[in-house]
């Protein structure tokens, strides 16, 4: 076992303080109530969320899981099911996330939304509780990350060195594929990941904003494992949005960070050949990895690679400037 801390970079939370506050007084159309199966949040335009269990909201179950898994600290992410909303809601959510991070002795990822997302990201970045941004790959209330209207946010993130974690929503574009049936959370989210990342590359976002610190959850979807097929599509103009500064789309895969969520040990070893890999559990969800440290240690990678995945890569990425 590593003697340094083990950082879980993909762990969600809905702060209990936020839920109790919403129960007393709605904010921007959001409210909360307790049910026999857990808390539910009423989200404007979409109705009530799935029940939110104690593993998501309470410190005790989270600490128990961390001890069992050998995780020292988590980078706290908001739950995307309640992330969508206007500016007032994003600020309310950020306040609750900052408080939760301070209480847990860690840092969190911020939320932004709407036309003033760039200004709000700069505002959040000034707070020491935040170490980056969790960005929906299919925002319901604004442009997609690969579209030109998103460039001001990318400019800020690159200039300030703000890590941006790209995360698909629970209900993403792949839900339109009727053939997925009940496998939306199994394969659909990976499709959404893959398409969103591909569009970022093909639209020249990485050419226009060198130095971006982007994290791809769920191991980057299917893209790292089918990268040469994308190269073929770029060559034949079947996947083409403009001339790239580099020879082929796969040349950009080393610019990303990748988490280990949902990956087998051999897949993690394969992914380590592309770019920095970060430990991730997707806590508290069942499709995450209940024993992520063990999975990394079974990858067959040497001790230096294992140490980098468990600690060094995440520490370098999310450590706030002194």
């Amino acid at each position: 076992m590593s003697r340094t801390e083990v950082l879980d970079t993909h762990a969600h939370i809905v702060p209990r303080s936020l839920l109790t506050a919403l129960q007393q007084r709605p904010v921007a159309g959001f409210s909360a109530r307790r049910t026999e199966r857990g808390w539910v949040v009423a989200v404007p335009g979409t109705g009530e969320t799935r029940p939110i269990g104690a593993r998501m909201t309470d410190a005790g179950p989270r600490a128990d899981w961390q001890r069992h898994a050998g995780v020292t600290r988590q980078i706290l992410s908001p739950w995307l099911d309640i992330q969508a909303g206007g500016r007032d809601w994003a600020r309310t959510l950020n306040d609750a996330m900052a408080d939760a991070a301070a209480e847990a002795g860690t840092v969190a990822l911020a939320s932004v939304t709407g036309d003033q997302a760039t200004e709000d990201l700069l505002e959040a970045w000034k707070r020491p509780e935040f170490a980056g941004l969790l960005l929906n790959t299919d925002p319901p209330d604004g442009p997609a990350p690969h579209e030109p209207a998103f460039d001001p946010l990318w400019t800020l993130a690159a200039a300030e060195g703000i890590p941006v974690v790209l995360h698909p929503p629970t209900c993403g574009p792949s839900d339109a594929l009727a053939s997925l049936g009940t496998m939306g959370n199994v394969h659909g989210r990976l499709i959404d990941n893959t398409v969103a990342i591909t569009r970022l590359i093909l639209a020249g976002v990485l050419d226009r904003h060198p130095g971006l610190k982007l994290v791809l959850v769920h191991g980057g979807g299917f893209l790292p494992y089918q990268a040469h097929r994308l190269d073929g599509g770029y060559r034949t103009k079947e996947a083409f949005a403009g001339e790239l500064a580099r020879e082929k789309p796969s040349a950009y895969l080393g610019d990303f960070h990748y988490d280990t969520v949902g990956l087998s040990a051999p897949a993690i070893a394969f992914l380590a050949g592309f770019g920095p890999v970060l430990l991730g559990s997707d806590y508290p969800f069942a499709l995450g990895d209940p024993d992520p440290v063990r999975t990394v240690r079974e990858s067959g990678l040497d001790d230096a690679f294992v140490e980098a995945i468990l600690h060094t890569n995440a520490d370098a990425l999310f450590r706030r400037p002194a």
Side-chain angles (χ1 to χ4, degrees), residues 197-211:
I197 299 158
T198 299
R199 285 176 170 168
L200 280 174
I201 295 172
L202 295 179
V205 171
L206 298 178
D207 289 337
R208 295 194 302 276
H209 306 282

Side-chain angles (χ1 to χ4, degrees), residues 17-27 30-33 39:
S17 61
L18 176 64
L19 296 169
T20 55
L22 290 176
Q23 185 181 39
Q24 298 297 321
R25 183 179 180 182
V27 175
F30 287 77
S31 61
R33 65 184 182 91
W39 288 89

Side-chain angles (χ1 to χ4, degrees), residues 63-308:
D64 289 343
W65 179 87
Q66 288 184 217
R67 282 192 294 271
H68 170 78
V71 169
T72 308
R73 187 161 63 90
Q74 293 179 325
I75 310 296
L76 300 178
S77 294
W79 186 32
L80 269 78
D81 285 29
I82 66 167
Q83 193 186 41
R87 191 181 200 191
D88 289 345
W89 173 248
R91 286 175 164 174
T92 297
L93 181 56
N94 284 342
D95 286 342
M97 292 294 298
D99 289 345
E103 184 177 344
T106 188
V107 289
L109 302 179
S111 301
V112 297
T113 184
D115 294 339
Q116 295 174 299
T118 304
E119 292 85 350
D120 291 347
L121 176 57
L122 182 59
E123 177 183 290
W125 188 240
K126 293 176 181 178
R127 304 176 67 170
E129 299 91 352
F130 290 114
L133 171 68
L134 184 72
L135 186 64
N136 189 330
T137 57
D138 186 46
D141 52 0
H146 69 280
E147 294 176 347
F150 230 92
D151 273 3
L153 186 140
W154 293 132
T155 298
L156 173 65
E160 295 290 332
I162 303 172
V164 179
V165 178
L166 297 165
H167 197 300
T170 300
C171 297
S174 64
D175 287 349
L177 300 174
S179 59
L180 274 176
T182 59
M183 292 187 293
N185 203 29
V186 176
H187 291 315
R189 302 298 74 82
L190 303 184
I191 294 171
D192 294 333
N193 260 18
T194 303
V195 171
I197 299 158
T198 299
R199 285 176 170 168
L200 280 174
I201 295 172
L202 295 179
V205 171
L206 298 178
D207 289 337
R208 295 194 302 276
H209 306 282
L212 276 175
K213 298 178 179 180
L214 301 178
V215 180
L216 309 184
V217 300
H218 310 140
F222 299 120
L223 182 56
Y225 319 96
Q226 297 290 338
H228 291 295
R229 189 170 181 85
L230 173 59
D231 290 344
Y234 178 73
R235 184 181 67 251
T236 62
K237 298 296 193 291
E238 296 170 69
F240 187 82
E243 292 289 347
L244 296 173
R246 304 180 196 176
E247 178 185 3
K248 54 189 178 181
S250 65
Y252 295 85
L253 294 184
D255 291 7
F256 298 106
H257 291 70
Y258 303 84
D259 79 13
T260 64
V261 170
L263 299 177
S264 65
I268 291 172
F270 174 79
L271 195 60
F274 285 89
V277 179
L278 312 171
L279 182 73
S281 67
D282 210 357
Y283 178 92
F285 296 112
L287 281 185
D289 190 337
D291 204 354
V293 177
R294 179 179 179 181
T295 304
V296 171
R297 293 193 178 283
E298 292 178 346
S299 66
L301 293 166
D302 64 31
D303 289 346
F305 264 108
V306 169
E307 184 71 16

